[in-house]
Amino acid sequence: MRRVIVVGAGVSGLTTAVTLQEAGYAVTIYTQDLPGATTSAVAAAIWFPYAVAPVHAANRWSAESYRVFEQLAQTPATGVSMTDFLVLTRPGLDNSWREELPEGAVRLAKAEELPPGYEMGYLAKVPLAETPVYLPYLQSRFMKAGGLFQQATVHHLTDLAREADLIVNCAGLGARELCQDESVYPIRGQVVKVENVPGTRSMVDSMDKGKLAYVIQRGKDTILGGTDYEHDYNNTTSPEDTQIILRRCAQLQPSLTKPKLINAAAGLRPKRPAIRCEQEPGQPIFHNYGHGGAGFTVSWGCAGEILKIILGLS
């Protein structure tokens, strides 16, 4: 049984570790932060290829993930469900994410389904992963399959070579230093958790930089977002951003004008000009990072890609 170390315990690291462990490898996750303390734990975690490239590959990985999430949604204990999601858009924007979804999963929204002031949108049935349930589910699934956790800080991937046959880097933003990859940078996101308001609909307006707004209704709360501040390393919440988010979301849905606030959270999306999902030339090191705002959306597709690359070398 070949030994694998996966670096990172966000959704990409966990999903990759599960995929490899269940494929017959002996996997240990090395991580500085446990899943509940990662950026993934802050994410709204609805299926949508946001701030991710290259488009063609991201769409394929997103579609592959979609099919896995559909299956997971049949088991409530996973924290995954299928939900209606309104993607607000306009002519000329790239909406190619629609093309690989199952037939009937997405349609053009009717005029009466759009918020005031909007003229175009797509209504899609997409997966939603409620992170307080889904991340522990992945962790438990990994460990039940025989996977191990090692809480440690990794400074050099090559240092792990003597401990494993293969190393998979899912360090997210940490790859900037770990791999000296200066093309990785943060997009700071803040969300506000509020109590559910009857009649709330999940939707997103990501058309214009600096004006991101989304509403994600979950079982016990609603996530309002967000911000998209590039090269901003501040992972603490801002009261000013909270008010900006509340104002934007109230414009989307007037019923959210005075929601009951629960808390706010911030995280740093690991953006890269293109997802890095490949082998380090000449070394038993593989990379899976740079997923921008689509970590959950591409998670199973990218994990499967890593497995395919490894199997192709075996």
Side-chain angles (χ1 to χ4, degrees):
M1 184 178 291
R2 302 182 76 186
R3 299 170 302 160
V4 179
I5 289 177
V6 171
V7 180
V11 69
S12 297
L14 283 174
T15 308
T16 301
V18 167
T19 298
L20 295 176
Q21 184 70 32
E22 294 181 352
Y25 295 87
V27 183
T28 301
I29 293 176
Y30 275 52
T31 182
Q32 179 175 309
D33 298 314
L34 294 177
T38 64
T39 297
S40 295
V42 178
I46 196 164
W47 187 97
F48 184 57
Y50 170 69
V52 65
V55 172
H56 179 73
N59 286 348
R60 174 168 57 85
W61 291 325
S62 297
E64 291 169 359
S65 299
Y66 185 104
R67 291 190 286 271
V68 177
F69 281 125
E70 268 192 313
Q71 296 300 314
L72 292 175
Q74 297 178 21
T75 306
T78 64
V80 177
S81 61
M82 301 300 291
T83 190
D84 291 326
F85 190 47
L86 179 60
V87 180
L88 299 164
T89 188
R90 59 173 177 263
L93 293 184
D94 180 19
N95 290 293
S96 59
W97 54 269
R98 303 176 293 117
E99 297 169 4
E100 295 194 49
L101 293 188
E103 185 176 354
V106 58
R107 64 169 173 80
L108 195 64
K110 301 174 183 177
E112 59 269 24
E113 295 173 320
L114 299 172
Y118 289 88
E119 298 181 355
M120 184 179 177
Y122 289 100
L123 190 61
K125 180 74 75 173
V126 302
L128 169 65
E130 301 206 21
T131 54
V133 180
Y134 182 61
L135 292 177
Y137 157 77
L138 284 180
Q139 182 174 352
S140 174
R141 177 172 163 177
F142 171 64
M143 297 180 76
K144 285 180 179 178
L148 301 173
F149 266 86
Q150 178 72 45
Q151 195 163 7
T153 301
V154 177
H155 297 287
H156 303 284
L157 294 175
T158 52
D159 291 345
L160 303 176
R162 65 178 68 90
E163 301 178 41
D165 302 300
L166 306 172
I167 301 157
V168 185
N169 168 30
C170 299
L173 188 59
R176 182 178 174 90
E177 292 187 7
L178 191 59
C179 305
Q180 292 81 52
D181 186 351
E182 295 186 358
S183 71
V184 186
Y185 63 91
I187 302 179
R188 179 182 174 275
Q190 180 165 319
V191 297
V192 180
K193 185 188 300 184
V194 302
E195 293 185 7
N196 281 339
V197 176
T200 299
R201 295 188 297 153
S202 295
M203 61 181 66
V204 62
D205 176 355
S206 60
M207 290 185 280
D208 298 313
K209 186 68 181 172
K211 297 181 180 179
L212 176 64
Y214 55 85
V215 177
I216 311 297
Q217 186 171 50
R218 308 196 299 188
K220 297 180 180 180
D221 53 42
T222 297
I223 302 297
L224 307 180
T227 59
D228 55 357
Y229 305 146
E230 294 193 349
H231 303 282
D232 186 339
Y233 283 85
N234 177 20
N235 61 3
T236 60
T237 58
S238 157
E240 293 80 7
D241 286 336
T242 294
Q243 293 307 311
I244 290 171
I245 290 167
L246 292 174
R247 185 166 60 250
R248 288 179 187 159
C249 291
Q251 291 173 347
L252 284 180
Q253 298 187 59
S255 61
L256 295 170
T257 299
K258 292 184 179 181
K260 294 182 179 179
L261 274 62
I262 300 175
N263 58 38
L268 306 179
R269 306 178 185 98
K271 175 64 175 170
R272 193 173 184 272
I275 292 174
R276 191 178 186 192
C277 200
E278 63 185 15
Q279 184 188 10
E280 186 78 28
Q283 298 188 47
I285 296 173
F286 303 81
H287 299 284
N288 180 16
Y289 66 90
H291 307 103
F296 284 84
T297 302
V298 301
S299 57
W300 289 101
C302 286
E305 185 76 13
I306 291 296
L307 177 59
K308 291 174 189 174
I309 295 170
I310 292 173
L311 290 175
L313 298 173
S314 299

